[in-house]
Amino acid sequence: MMTERWGLVSSSQPRNHRKSASAIRNTRWNIYDDLHSEKEREDVWKATEWLADQNPLCDVCRGLDIQPMSPSSERALFQRPQVVGYLTDIVKKKDCPLCRLISCAFLQRANVCEAGPRVLEESQVQVSLQFVDDSVDPTGRLSRNLLRLTTSLNSLPPAFLIPLGKDTTESTFLGLEVKSEYVGSWKLESWLRCVYRTKLNDALIERTINSGKLIDDKHLRGFPDFANFRLIDIESHCLVRIPNGCNPNYLTLSYVGGSEKCFLATKTNIESLEDDRSLFHPDLPRTIKDAITITGALHHRYLWVDALCIVQDDDDERAVQIKNMGKIYENSRLTIINASGVDANSGFEGVYPHRRKFQQHIEELKPGLRVTLYQPMDELLKRSVWQTRAWTFQEHVVSARRLIFLNGLVYFENGQQCYSEDLSSYDPHMRVQNLSWMSTDPILRFTEFVSEFTERRLSYEIDIMNAWAGVAKAFDEKMQSSSFFGLPAAYFDLALLWKPTHRVVRRKGFPSWSWVGWVGKVHWETTGEPSRLIFWYKQIDTLRYRLVASQKEIEAAYAVSRKRLGESSSNAIGARTQTVNSQIISGWQAIKKWPDRATKPSSFRQDLFPAFAQVSGAPAEWPYLHFWTFSALFRLSAPIKPAEAAPSPNLHFQSFTLTGCHERLCGFMALENCWESRTGELVEVLVLSGCENWDHQEQKLFADGSDTKPARGRWSLWNVMLIEWHEGNVAERVGLGKILKSALNVAAFAPGKQWKEITLG
């Protein structure tokens, strides 16, 4: 009954695998490599000769090389872009099917790109066509079915064309015509059965997909391990409480709640919501209603939705549930994502007839050769409201399987592949983002994930740590380390070297030295692993300090790095830095103790607790770093101008120069533009760690403005932090930069370099 309401009726799938010339002509764009016999090849070339006489294309498009693939010796021919013409000329050719496709593709993109619709009026926007031939299709062969359309305008995203196939069981990467006004259940079930079969045994498949049984006693035992875990029972239409450790078999929902108040679980109604049929409520948001329908259509009985399964006005319960949000999504069978919605009442397109707005643009370039526009899911997600929310990042990344409703289509992601309704197989060009990425290089993935996460928005900035908690837990397990305010302890020196990508503002209640203390996107410059020089301490109460990273954590992280390198993890931790990959260097250098100098905090700071505890919702940990390091004064001088070096893509930040007491160039500091009014002032910098490279822009300027040369191609530099002092003798980070090690010794302004105890908040 639930299936009929949704329109998800199971149907048999055609299974015709014959390779006649007509079938090849109708279902292949370029499959020459798939043909093995000489007769098959002859049939293809005869067919294409006949097609040439029936060609409806314009003179320009007829001259483009989009014929079936020639032998492998000529493959390089298809790697060169073929110029189609100027966009203004293309949109005027109404009778050419390829020109109509190109016009449609770039008209859609022009409405959302920075240039806007006026791009179609510019006469110098040139369009080129090129085969995408850098991926392997599901059969293991090189995929050459996808055509990429690009323009000379960088702000206009590329478009893609793909030939339509007729057989829904095709293993070759082809497009499919989407005929139904609603989503077909057989497609969704086939995706689920495929991935379950790779993970579970046959008996468990039947329980998972067909029975809707609550308890799964053979898989992922021990969840939940916290109180008051509730699920929606879609058969009884009410909430049910789940005992600890029973491992429920359930789905989760990810959606945009919106700013308007909607139906929620509260202290006053939570008991009534546990009564049968209590969710037949007129105020229940459409998105949740549709998610219940989808759950039933997929033969599951239980669904988790934050608005109903968490008592929203119970602060204690909400804190526990939010802390375990990552576990909730990670342990669910499937996460249903409404990526097109803008609020809780948007609903899902394709669940019911007449609510699907998807329009598939198909053109017949030649008799028997039908082509459609193809938009990769990751490109469409960039334009969705769901993609801008910080909470949805965690919900997406930690989920093992995801069913994504987006722009009228449905996509399915498992750990490796992305499937779509309009494709005959998974997309070999699509990179699926999930926690399995961490296996290749955890610290590199950490920097990538944080950079994407900090682009997103929170309704309440105080939730920053909670929204990141599920991802942080996964990184902690992979690195065998703990985290301290969003930074992995074992890689703490490297993690401190983040820089803003755009303008950032302070987030109250969180430390300035971590990215969680700022609102705005950040990134890491991948110029090399810093040498570890400082003992970082955190104060865990009014009477105790503890190292941020223990020696055990550092050794474990180093062992992971050595294992990825294929080397023995038993080597001494003091070994020279090892290159883990070409982007991030994850090896460790020896912890260098400063001789005859203090390294531990000299006293406890009981006075600091009220300073951050007064912020409502602030984290329980003390957000302060305690350490000893060298401090020095340098003069802040004129920033780098575009005339002197390549302009920075960050319009809110500039790379200022640091000069010493002899007015010679000593280093650089990345600061907001407002600091330009303070050039000429003396600023205090702290040494953080050692490094060997400037970034590209700094290296160019330093080579022009200094006689100093690197030794054997490597510079001897310090990573430094510019600080300002605040009330209570607590410093805060202002900017990050680099200086020459020699400058610290001979060029610092009076009183010169000082070994100093720092409390950084």
Side-chain angles (χ1 to χ4, degrees):
M1 180 177 178
M2 193 76 67
T3 300
E4 293 173 356
R5 279 182 57 198
W6 192 19
L8 302 180
V9 181
S10 297
S11 60
S12 60
Q13 304 176 35
R15 297 182 179 275
N16 181 11
H17 293 286
R18 295 179 58 196
K19 277 191 174 181
S20 65
S22 60
I24 293 167
R25 182 170 66 248
N26 290 337
T27 61
R28 296 288 196 269
W29 182 302
N30 50 68
I31 39 66
Y32 193 82
D33 287 342
D34 295 341
L35 308 179
H36 303 292
S37 71
E38 289 298 327
K39 186 175 186 310
E40 284 181 314
R41 297 185 182 185
E42 289 176 6
D43 287 343
V44 170
W45 291 114
K46 287 178 181 179
T48 56
E49 288 173 3
W50 171 78
L51 289 174
D53 297 332
Q54 308 293 324
N55 201 329
L57 302 176
C58 67
D59 291 340
V60 174
C61 293
R62 192 178 295 119
L64 298 174
D65 194 346
I66 55 174
Q67 297 297 325
M69 289 297 295
S70 57
S72 59
S73 59
E74 301 179 23
R75 284 180 177 174
L77 173 67
F78 298 96
Q79 297 176 0
R80 295 192 297 270
Q82 303 175 71
V83 176
V84 182
Y86 291 106
L87 196 53
T88 50
D89 297 329
I90 293 172
V91 296
K92 297 175 183 177
K93 299 178 182 179
K94 306 295 184 181
D95 297 328
C96 175
L98 181 55
C99 289
R100 287 197 298 267
L101 275 175
I102 295 173
S103 300
C104 177
F106 287 117
L107 180 62
Q108 293 175 358
R109 283 157 177 73
N111 290 329
V112 297
C113 75
E114 298 175 3
R118 70 177 185 276
V119 67
L120 299 178
E121 302 173 2
E122 298 182 10
S123 59
Q124 299 303 314
V125 179
Q126 192 177 65
V127 178
S128 298
L129 176 148
Q130 185 179 19
F131 280 104
V132 178
D133 59 357
D134 55 352
S135 297
V136 175
D137 72 7
T139 66
R141 292 172 294 214
L142 199 62
S143 173
R144 292 172 182 265
N145 289 325
L146 197 64
L147 278 172
R148 180 192 287 117
L149 297 171
T150 56
T151 69
S152 54
L153 195 66
N154 292 333
S155 61
L156 200 59
F160 298 88
L161 302 179
I162 189 170
L164 288 177
K166 288 188 175 181
D167 190 344
T168 55
T169 63
E170 288 286 354
S171 59
T172 305
F173 181 53
L174 294 168
L176 290 178
E177 185 173 358
V178 181
K179 298 179 179 179
S180 177
E181 60 182 5
Y182 47 77
V183 180
S185 66
W186 69 265
K187 170 73 78 174
L188 308 186
E189 288 180 11
S190 68
W191 289 341
L192 290 177
R193 285 184 179 275
C194 178
V195 70
Y196 281 142
R197 185 163 285 109
T198 63
K199 299 291 184 182
L200 313 174
N201 58 48
D202 289 338
L204 187 53
I205 292 173
E206 295 306 315
R207 285 205 304 275
T208 301
I209 296 180
N210 295 325
S211 69
K213 186 178 178 181
L214 171 63
I215 307 301
D216 175 5
D217 54 0
K218 291 186 179 180
H219 188 62
L220 298 174
R221 299 180 67 86
F223 179 83
D225 55 0
F226 52 92
N228 296 320
F229 182 65
R230 302 179 184 86
L231 293 171
I232 297 173
D233 183 339
I234 70 167
E235 291 187 5
S236 302
H237 284 274
C238 65
L239 296 178
V240 292
R241 293 176 185 257
I242 309 301
N244 282 12
C246 75
N247 181 39
N249 184 1
Y250 65 99
L251 308 187
T252 44
L253 173 65
S254 177
Y255 65 109
V256 177
S259 57
E260 296 184 5
K261 291 185 178 180
C262 62
F263 187 69
L264 303 171
T266 62
K267 292 179 180 179
T268 57
N269 69 4
I270 186 62
E271 290 188 6
S272 64
L273 291 179
E274 294 177 356
D275 297 334
D276 284 357
R277 303 179 66 82
S278 60
L279 292 182
F280 283 118
H281 197 286
D283 295 332
L284 193 67
R286 177 183 288 181
T287 296
I288 298 178
K289 290 180 182 177
D290 290 353
I292 290 173
T293 302
I294 297 169
T295 302
L298 295 176
H299 306 294
H300 283 68
R301 182 174 175 178
Y302 300 96
L303 173 69
W304 186 90
V305 181
D306 58 352
L308 298 179
C309 298
I310 301 175
V311 179
Q312 299 296 319
D313 57 353
D314 186 332
D315 292 340
D316 293 336
E317 178 180 323
R318 190 170 181 272
V320 172
Q321 298 276 345
I322 286 176
K323 182 179 179 181
N324 289 281
M325 194 80 77
K327 288 183 182 179
I328 293 172
Y329 280 91
E330 184 178 0
N331 289 322
S332 71
R333 291 297 183 198
L334 176 77
T335 296
I336 306 167
I337 298 174
N338 186 12
S340 292
V342 296
D343 57 39
N345 282 303
S346 296
F348 287 81
E349 291 187 35
V351 174
Y352 296 100
H354 312 300
R355 273 176 42 188
R356 194 177 206 175
K357 300 176 182 178
F358 172 72
Q359 291 183 341
Q360 191 175 27
H361 194 115
I362 298 173
E363 293 284 356
E364 191 170 34
L365 301 190
K366 301 173 182 179
L369 181 57
R370 301 169 71 225
V371 180
T372 186
L373 289 174
Y374 168 62
Q375 298 187 63
M377 187 190 68
D378 51 356
E379 180 189 326
L380 294 173
L381 279 176
K382 292 177 182 177
R383 307 200 292 267
S384 70
V385 177
W386 179 86
Q387 183 83 344
T388 67
R389 298 297 193 260
W391 281 104
T392 62
F393 180 85
Q394 174 177 252
E395 295 162 8
H396 181 248
V397 169
V398 304
S399 299
R401 291 165 287 275
R402 300 169 284 274
L403 192 66
I404 303 171
F405 288 72
L406 176 63
N407 284 29
L409 285 176
V410 181
Y411 301 84
F412 176 71
E413 288 184 338
N414 59 24
Q416 292 80 33
Q417 293 96 24
C418 176
Y419 299 84
S420 173
E421 272 188 286
D422 60 346
L423 295 178
S424 62
S425 68
Y426 69 83
D427 184 352
H429 310 91
M430 177 79 177
R431 188 174 70 159
V432 178
Q433 185 183 54
N434 54 45
L435 297 181
S436 65
W437 282 12
M438 300 177 190
S439 300
T440 55
D441 193 335
I443 188 60
L444 173 61
R445 302 309 174 201
F446 169 81
T447 61
E448 292 175 346
F449 277 30
V450 171
S451 184
E452 182 177 341
F453 178 74
T454 52
E455 278 189 295
R456 304 189 178 208
R457 300 197 301 270
L458 283 165
S459 298
Y460 304 98
E461 294 300 337
I462 206 72
D463 285 337
I464 182 66
M465 294 290 289
N466 292 327
W468 177 251
V471 184
K473 177 179 176 292
F475 275 112
D476 289 350
E477 291 176 355
K478 180 60 64 175
M479 297 179 183
Q480 301 179 40
S481 172
S482 59
S483 293
F484 187 41
F485 283 95
L487 304 185
Y491 297 89
F492 201 74
D493 297 82
L494 175 60
L496 280 172
L497 303 181
W498 59 269
K499 287 185 177 181
T501 302
H502 303 292
R503 188 174 185 180
V504 292
V505 295
R506 283 287 279 124
R507 181 180 278 121
K508 292 183 179 180
F510 295 89
S512 66
W513 45 265
S514 173
W515 58 268
V516 303
W518 301 82
V519 180
K521 184 177 181 179
V522 304
H523 71 285
W524 277 259
E525 292 177 353
T526 54
T527 55
E529 165 72 26
S531 56
R532 193 169 186 269
L533 304 169
I534 295 176
F535 290 92
W536 307 100
Y537 285 87
K538 58 183 178 181
Q539 189 170 349
I540 57 177
D541 54 36
T542 57
L543 296 175
R544 289 183 297 168
Y545 286 105
R546 181 180 295 167
L547 283 167
V548 171
S550 67
Q551 186 72 10
K552 182 179 179 180
E553 288 178 300
I554 297 171
E555 290 175 351
Y558 184 67
V560 171
S561 298
R562 303 286 287 190
K563 186 177 181 180
R564 291 198 309 274
L565 287 167
E567 300 174 4
S568 171
S569 60
S570 61
N571 291 322
I573 195 170
R576 184 169 178 79
T577 301
Q578 299 291 329
T579 301
V580 173
N581 56 51
S582 60
Q583 293 181 292
I584 290 281
I585 300 177
S586 301
W588 286 96
Q589 290 185 341
I591 301 175
K592 181 179 178 181
K593 296 182 179 180
W594 298 108
D596 304 323
R597 295 186 185 275
T599 57
K600 295 183 178 181
S602 59
S603 61
F604 296 101
R605 298 292 304 272
Q606 290 92 340
D607 60 308
L608 295 179
F609 181 79
F612 76 92
Q614 63 187 359
V615 179
S616 177
E621 288 188 295
W622 291 35
Y624 301 101
L625 273 182
H626 305 270
F627 58 98
W628 288 79
T629 188
F630 281 116
S631 165
L633 299 178
F634 289 90
R635 190 179 305 282
L636 189 69
S637 300
I640 299 174
K641 298 296 183 181
E644 300 169 338
S648 170
N650 189 340
L651 301 179
H652 300 286
F653 280 78
Q654 298 186 68
S655 191
F656 288 75
T657 56
L658 295 174
T659 55
C661 58
H662 302 302
E663 302 302 324
R664 299 185 65 180
L665 180 61
C666 297
F668 303 96
M669 181 65 60
L671 296 169
E672 287 192 354
N673 293 339
C674 60
W675 277 78
E676 195 163 0
S677 61
R678 297 181 60 175
T679 55
E681 295 184 13
L682 294 183
V683 294
E684 183 176 1
V685 299
L686 306 177
V687 171
L688 300 180
S689 54
C691 62
E692 297 178 338
N693 294 291
W694 304 104
D695 66 31
H696 179 72
Q697 181 171 310
E698 293 169 347
Q699 184 166 335
K700 184 179 184 303
L701 187 70
F702 200 87
D704 295 339
S706 174
D707 297 331
T708 307
K709 302 298 179 184
R712 291 194 291 263
R714 295 183 177 181
W715 296 90
S716 183
L717 309 172
W718 292 123
N719 291 307
V720 294
M721 179 186 292
L722 191 153
I723 61 167
E724 287 187 324
W725 291 95
H726 293 265
E727 185 178 355
N729 199 29
V730 174
E732 284 204 357
R733 166 182 161 146
V734 176
L736 196 74
K738 298 174 184 176
I739 62 170
L740 291 169
K741 287 185 178 180
S742 57
L744 182 70
N745 297 323
V746 301
F749 283 87
K753 71 174 184 180
Q754 293 182 299
W755 187 245
K756 194 171 184 178
E757 184 176 9
I758 304 294
T759 298
L760 192 63

